């Protein structure tokens, strides 16, 4: 199975309980990956509130995942 | 103060070949506006003033509160209760007598945002809420004034530079509509380590100086993402979106959107929609949902309102339907979120103050 690195920021980091993890997954896209993580960690943010970057490039949530990809889910942040 | 003193003041940065006499003159000729004199604004203002930005604008309608001091390092203990723009200008003028400080204490809204930003060469967004961030961004887009924007959350921060040239992405290329307040916490709600806005505000000042001095390595078309707990520093590349509602091929946004504070949730009321701004005379039952600590720092009239902190969900869910209730917090974020959940639970007599106490202060 492909291995993916996931980095968590803001509320997602709090809920996942870590800043980064590696996981083997059979999911096809970033959106499917988020749903898998949501089910596992009970992530409260709806996917429509998130952006995703794969290998440091923002991309659509439908983007297919490849072995070795680094995926960052980014919630909106406004504090100052 | 002599020219010689001014020369000496900047001597350590002027000896950099990238700055030199010409660069220092550029800084002196520059007009930079910092919006928000809080956790991000304090370090940004300090370094821009010290670097010799000739005209430095400070825009903020808030007063210094005790809970600001752990991260808003321009202010002294004795400044609590003073307008931030006044305390900041005093401190900065004392630090550098060779620059001009302009203070803007007015409420930033759709009516004045474009006019305010267009008299500056560069804007730093150091505010703490989505309404302000989108308003400032759109105003800078329409006036073609470059914008350096930062946001923080607990141990993390994000920074973007928008220069509004062809081929450049804007905020709405990524977030076409303003996120609702319920999808993220505020500093008051989620907490923040003081050094995080300190780092990000300093970084904003650094990007500002790079832009003004035309130094290499300027950020654009990317988000800088810093996580202090993992020491991760990511640079996420962003492409312009041809379907962007603001800068795309067929834009749908042609001017600033409705006046701030925006009403985003059914049941949110702007100050001008209320029957009275005095809780005693209002037909609404005013309820402060902030923490006891926040409330203790507030004006006297607030002490006479009812207090049911956000944590006391049982009491909030049991609000009697005989009188309409008006929930309020500091910026309107928590009250809007609570309003949504109470309305979803069937409490149709509950309302929330859009923009929170800040919106009242700014009137």
């Amino acid at each position: 199975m492909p291995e993916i690195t996931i980095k968590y920021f803001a509320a997602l980091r709090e809920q996942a309980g870590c800043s980064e993890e590696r996981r083997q997954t059979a999911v096809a896209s970033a959106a499917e990956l988020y749903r898998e993580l949501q089910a596992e960690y009970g992530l409260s943010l709806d996917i429509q509130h998130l952006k995703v970057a794969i290998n440091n490039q923002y991309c659509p949530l439908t983007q297919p995942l490849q072995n070795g990809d680094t995926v960052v889910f980014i919630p909106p942040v406004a504090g100052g | 103060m002599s020219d010689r003193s001014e020369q000496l003041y900047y001597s350590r940065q002027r000896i950099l070949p990238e700055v030199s006499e010409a660069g220092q003159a550029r800084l002196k000729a520059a007009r930079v506006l910092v919006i928000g004199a809080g956790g991000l604004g304090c370090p940004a203002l300090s370094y821009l003033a010290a670097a010799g930005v000739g005209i430095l604008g400070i825009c903020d309608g808030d007063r210094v509160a005790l809970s600001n001091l752990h991260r808003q390092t321009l202010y002294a203990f004795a400044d609590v209760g003073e307008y931030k723009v006044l305390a900041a200008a005093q401190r900065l003028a004392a630090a550098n007598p060779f620059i001009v400080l302009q203070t803007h204490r007015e409420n930033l809204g759709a009516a004045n945002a474009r006019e305010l930003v267009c008299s500056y060469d560069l804007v730093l967004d150091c505010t703490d809420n989505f309404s302000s961030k989108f308003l400032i961004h759109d105003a800078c887009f329409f006036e073609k004034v470059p914008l350096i924007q930062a946001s923080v959350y607990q141990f993390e921060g994000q920074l973007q530079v928008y220069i509004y040239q062809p081929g450049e992405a804007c905020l709405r290329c990524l977030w076409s509509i303003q996120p609702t307040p319920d999808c993220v916490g505020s500093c008051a709600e989620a907490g923040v380590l003081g050094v995080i806005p300190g780092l990000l505000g300093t970084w904003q000042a650094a990007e500002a100086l790079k832009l003004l001095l035309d130094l290499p390595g300027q950020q654009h078309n990317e988000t800088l993402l810093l996580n202090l707990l993992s020491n991760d520093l990511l640079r996420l590349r962003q492409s312009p979106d041809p379907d962007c509602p603001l800068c795309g091929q067929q834009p749908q946004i042609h001017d600033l959107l409705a006046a701030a504070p925006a009403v985003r949730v059914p049941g949110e009321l702007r100050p001008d929609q209320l029957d009275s701004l005095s809780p005693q005379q209002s037909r609404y039952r005013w309820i402060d949902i902030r923490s006891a600590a926040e409330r203790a720092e507030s004006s006297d009239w607030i002490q006479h309102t009812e207090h049911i902190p956000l944590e006391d969900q049982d009491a909030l869910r049991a609000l009697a339907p005989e009188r309409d209730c008006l929930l309020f917090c500091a910026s309107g974020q928590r009250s809007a979120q609570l309003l949504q959940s109470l309305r979803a639970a069937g409490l149709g007599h509950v309302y929330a103050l859009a923009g929170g106490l800040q919106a009242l202060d700014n009137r």
Side-chain angles (χ1 to χ4, degrees), chain B residues 275-284 286 300-305 323:
Chain B
D275 58 328
S276 167
L277 293 180
S278 160
Q280 276 84 19
Q281 286 157 24
S282 172
R283 73 177 188 84
Y284 296 98
W286 287 52
D300 287 345
W301 70 267
I302 294 172
Q303 312 299 335
H304 300 298
T305 61
R323 189 173 167 200

Side-chain angles (χ1 to χ4, degrees), chain B residues 89-105:
Chain B
Q90 202 173 18
R91 181 87 183 265
L92 297 168
N96 188 348
F98 305 111
I99 59 167
V100 175
L101 293 154
Q102 293 179 339
T103 56
H104 305 276
R105 211 179 71 194

Side-chain angles (χ1 to χ4, degrees), chain A residues 22-49:
Chain A
R22 280 178 184 214
R23 79 164 45 211
Q24 295 195 327
T25 176
V27 298
S29 69
E32 283 182 35
L33 176 63
Y34 187 72
R35 288 195 192 96
E36 180 179 292
L37 298 167
Q38 215 173 6
E40 185 169 329
Y41 297 117
L43 305 177
S44 65
L45 278 174
D46 193 284
I47 196 163
Q48 63 170 344
H49 294 315

Side-chain angles (χ1 to χ4, degrees), chain B residues 89-149:
Chain B
Q90 202 173 18
R91 181 87 183 265
L92 297 168
N96 188 348
F98 305 111
I99 59 167
V100 175
L101 293 154
Q102 293 179 339
T103 56
H104 305 276
R105 211 179 71 194
E106 62 261 34
N107 181 19
L108 193 69
N112 63 354
R114 288 182 65 167
E115 197 186 331
L116 183 65
V117 304
C118 80
S119 43
Y120 289 90
D121 307 312
L122 173 65
V123 172
L124 271 62
D125 174 0
C126 299
T127 64
D128 63 357
N129 62 85
F130 290 120
S131 310
S132 299
K133 288 190 185 294
F134 277 74
L135 178 72
I136 294 164
H137 171 270
D138 292 356
C140 287
F141 170 83
F142 288 118
E143 298 299 335
K144 297 289 176 271
V145 178
L147 172 69
I148 301 174
Q149 184 186 63

